[in-house]
Amino acid sequence: MQQPQREPLDRDRLADVAPGFTVHVTQETASTNADLASAARDGAAEWSVHTTDHQAAGRGRLDRTFTMPPLTGIAVSVLVRPVEVAPARWPWLPLVTGLAVVDAVREVGVDAALKWPNDVLVDDRRKLCGILVERVETSQGPAAVIGVGLNVALTAEDLPVETATSLWLEGATTVDRAELLGVLLSALRTRLEQWRDPARQDELARAYADVCSTIGRQVRIQRPDGSDVVGEATGIDESGRIVVDGIAWSAGDVTHLRPV
């Protein structure tokens, strides 16, 4: 069977495919988010990007680990300094990031959707990426480090769990990581600029709802305190919380319930 393309990232090529971003590339690092958070505290400019050929100790939501073999995926962190955005809007950042990833993978032919808040899934069960958004306090004001780990060229044998997948396995039109990184960064910037514009919040909420397969489903939310909430997810409120049977929840691990 033909194997997917696996080549190191080239800084000069990334400069061509990601105009408007300052891209820093490493061969290997523990965490691009940690690297960029440190750079943010040292004064790195907005739209600084850290990416690597191998992230050895990546993290996802709820402190889950996120790992992939070298040269098989995109591990990237993007710095934004949205000091003009009201604090009440910041919880939308993980959702906006998930929406941007869906935009990007659909552009290369993979029909993904979101499970609230930002699990990017194919066929409601195979997960393509991990997302972690972290707030960083800096001398220039609060910043956000947006991290995405996207499975690109993993084969079935490379998958860490049965419920994972990759763009290669889902038949994407390209698995060129540099090209994909350009598509992803462009989609992310477009959605972040939409998020920063107070006049476009309803437009953003509709776009998220259009790709969120959780809305309208019976769900179970496993709460951090160990309790469960079961009911129908009817929407997302203005703070990005999921609304289940009229009550909004800001945290928890969501399971889509299927009919028996």
Side-chain angles (χ1 to χ4, degrees):
M1 180 178 179
Q2 183 183 4
Q3 293 297 303
Q5 173 186 352
R6 295 180 178 178
E7 296 180 357
L9 292 168
D10 179 84
R11 185 191 308 273
D12 292 337
R13 184 156 178 240
L14 289 177
D16 291 336
V17 300
F21 295 89
T22 302
V23 182
H24 179 77
V25 184
T26 57
Q27 185 177 16
E28 180 174 338
T29 189
S31 165
T32 58
N33 261 32
D35 293 347
L36 189 54
S38 177
R41 296 185 188 99
D42 290 339
E46 185 169 60
W47 307 119
S48 293
V49 173
H50 278 227
T51 189
T52 187
D53 285 325
H54 183 215
Q55 181 170 251
R59 292 175 295 127
R61 194 171 59 89
L62 304 178
D63 282 331
R64 291 170 176 152
T65 58
F66 191 90
T67 60
M68 66 183 75
L71 307 178
T72 63
I74 289 172
V76 62
S77 299
V78 181
L79 178 64
V80 292
R81 296 184 178 275
V83 293
E84 79 284 6
V85 178
R89 293 292 302 167
W90 278 59
W92 264 91
L93 269 174
L95 284 70
V96 171
T97 304
L99 175 58
V101 174
V102 169
D103 291 341
V105 301
R106 287 186 172 185
E107 190 169 333
V108 296
V110 176
D111 187 18
L114 286 174
K115 182 177 78 172
W116 181 91
N118 57 15
D119 282 346
V120 180
L121 304 180
V122 179
D123 289 340
D124 203 40
R125 58 190 179 87
R126 299 191 299 276
K127 188 171 178 178
L128 271 171
C129 79
I131 291 170
L132 180 64
V133 178
E134 299 180 285
R135 180 183 170 110
V136 180
E137 300 302 331
T138 78
S139 60
Q140 299 169 260
V145 173
I146 299 171
V148 176
L150 178 62
N151 294 334
V152 175
L154 278 75
T155 65
E157 293 74 21
D158 295 322
L159 297 179
V161 293
E162 291 182 357
T163 52
T165 190
S166 71
L167 295 180
W168 164 260
L169 292 172
E170 299 301 334
T173 56
T174 181
V175 291
D176 181 322
R177 291 189 303 133
E179 180 181 350
L180 288 165
L181 193 53
V183 172
L184 175 59
L185 290 174
S186 176
L188 183 59
R189 187 159 188 164
T190 296
R191 290 301 185 184
L192 286 171
E193 290 175 348
Q194 188 179 29
W195 168 73
R196 294 170 92 152
D197 185 346
R200 302 183 68 190
Q201 300 315 303
D202 288 345
E203 175 188 344
L204 181 65
R206 287 193 299 271
Y208 181 88
D210 285 345
V211 302
C212 181
S213 61
T214 303
I215 298 173
R217 300 280 292 272
Q218 288 291 314
V219 301
R220 175 184 292 111
I221 304 176
Q222 296 171 288
R223 302 280 295 141
D225 63 5
S227 63
D228 284 356
V229 175
V230 177
E232 183 182 353
T234 56
I236 310 297
D237 76 358
E238 61 184 12
S239 297
R241 299 178 299 178
I242 187 169
V243 179
V244 177
D245 290 343
I247 301 174
W249 303 92
S250 62
D253 197 14
V254 170
T255 300
H256 292 168
L257 301 179
R258 291 181 170 83
V260 176

